[in-house]
Amino acid sequence: GLNLGTAREGGYEKMRADQVKKRRERAQNLEVGEDEGLKQELNKVEQDLQTLRAVGSHEIAEIDKKIEGAIKANKAAQSTLNANPSDPTAQNKAITAANRVNDLRQQRGSIKNASGTPQNKADLQSDLTNRQSITQTARATGATPAEIAQFERDEESIRVALGVADAAHDLGIANGRGDKSINEYEDTLIPEARHDVEAESRTRKRAYAEREEKWNRFWTGGKFNKTDIGRRTVREAGHNIRMEAKIEESGKGGGH
């Protein structure tokens, strides 16, 4: 008979651990595979996001650097204004600095939200036309080379947004999902596709654990599973599999 006494190499504990490990490995093999529709859909939306990022990510990175500098300049201007609240020059510099931060954030948002819809493209084109007018006025009124260069770079960011919009439109035609923006891919499409894959994998694992436990309860053939080691092995493996397949609570709890 099976010796269930003191644990030894190759004995009870190792046998049980090996059986638990095998069941967990079988459960892992039930996860949605690369050749399945849900995983292929996730791969597609991730690839489409990369297509849009290839057009807009460099400009976004450049704008992020400018935003960091603009925030520092804004803090310095606001500090000067706080020390000289009635100084018109300090007031103007503070307003200009705050507006610069907001404008750069708008430029970044234009790229991230460029969706390729007719309305969005029309809005971007209108923004570009306005910025071109600002640049022309600056040249005509004797603005400094640095100021003109800034206006020209602002124009370029909107051109990049238009490029992302065109790419989004082409993707919408190709994949049938519509003219989706970078933000829509990042915030909605990819999380939903990933959730579908993970939910299906969790469902399969839980079903496997339940089948194993049910089979163990009613199985009458063989010697191993009629012993306590078999029942405890299946229970332990089932618990571990369920814990690996559990849904984590998001946030810190609360009303909703």
Side-chain angles (χ1 to χ4, degrees):
L2 183 65
N3 185 353
L4 301 181
T6 303
R8 66 184 187 279
E9 184 178 357
Y12 172 84
E13 293 297 339
K14 184 176 187 304
M15 189 182 301
R16 177 174 157 188
D18 288 345
Q19 290 297 318
V20 170
K21 180 180 178 182
K22 287 179 182 179
R23 283 179 166 83
R24 292 176 69 179
E25 288 174 349
R26 290 189 198 117
Q28 291 294 330
N29 290 334
L30 294 173
E31 293 183 351
V32 175
E34 288 292 333
D35 60 339
E36 297 188 61
L38 289 174
K39 189 62 168 64
Q40 290 177 353
E41 178 62 19
L42 172 58
N43 292 342
K44 287 177 183 177
V45 293
E46 288 178 336
Q47 290 167 7
D48 287 349
L49 173 60
Q50 292 306 311
T51 298
L52 297 183
R53 283 178 173 171
V55 181
S57 62
H58 176 73
E59 187 67 18
I60 290 171
E62 291 300 309
I63 294 174
D64 285 340
K65 295 176 185 176
K66 294 176 187 176
I67 289 174
E68 289 181 10
I71 288 174
K72 291 179 181 178
N74 183 41
K75 288 181 178 179
Q78 296 301 325
S79 178
T80 300
L81 177 61
N82 291 338
N84 305 276
S86 60
D87 182 357
T89 300
Q91 293 172 358
N92 289 334
K93 287 184 176 180
I95 293 172
T96 299
N99 287 342
R100 183 57 180 163
V101 173
N102 292 333
D103 187 43
L104 287 169
R105 286 173 173 164
Q106 184 215 322
Q107 292 175 38
R108 189 181 194 280
S110 294
I111 297 172
K112 294 276 286 185
N113 292 304
S115 65
T117 63
Q119 184 60 57
N120 182 243
K121 293 183 73 172
D123 290 342
L124 289 172
Q125 187 58 58
S126 176
D127 188 5
L128 177 59
T129 299
N130 290 337
R131 291 178 184 277
Q132 289 172 330
S133 177
I134 291 172
T135 304
Q136 291 172 358
T137 300
R139 288 196 186 98
T141 55
T144 67
E147 290 171 332
I148 294 173
Q150 174 184 301
F151 294 142
E152 290 175 340
R153 284 298 302 138
D154 293 345
E155 290 178 26
E156 183 59 24
S157 74
I158 305 305
R159 290 192 184 92
V160 171
L162 280 165
V164 174
D166 288 337
H169 179 67
D170 292 342
L171 284 175
I173 294 174
N175 60 36
R177 280 189 290 270
D179 303 327
K180 304 300 182 181
S181 68
I182 291 175
N183 274 343
E184 286 175 300
Y185 275 96
E186 291 176 341
D187 298 340
T188 303
L189 293 175
I190 288 178
E192 287 179 352
R194 186 173 292 128
H195 171 269
D196 290 343
V197 170
E198 293 171 351
E200 177 61 22
S201 294
R202 284 194 297 267
T203 297
R204 293 178 186 181
K205 289 179 180 180
R206 286 195 297 267
Y208 168 73
E210 291 170 3
R211 285 196 307 270
E212 284 287 287
E213 292 178 351
K214 182 177 180 181
W215 180 250
N216 178 257
R217 285 196 300 270
F218 294 104
W219 187 57
T220 58
K223 188 185 299 183
F224 181 76
N225 272 10
K226 294 177 70 175
T227 66
D228 184 57
I229 184 174
R231 291 189 293 273
R232 294 172 72 178
T233 296
V234 172
R235 286 198 298 268
E236 181 179 347
H239 172 74
N240 289 339
I241 291 167
R242 287 191 181 90
M243 290 301 96
E244 291 167 359
K246 70 179 180 179
I247 302 173
E248 297 291 347
E249 188 74 21
S250 61
K252 297 183 179 180
H256 52 271

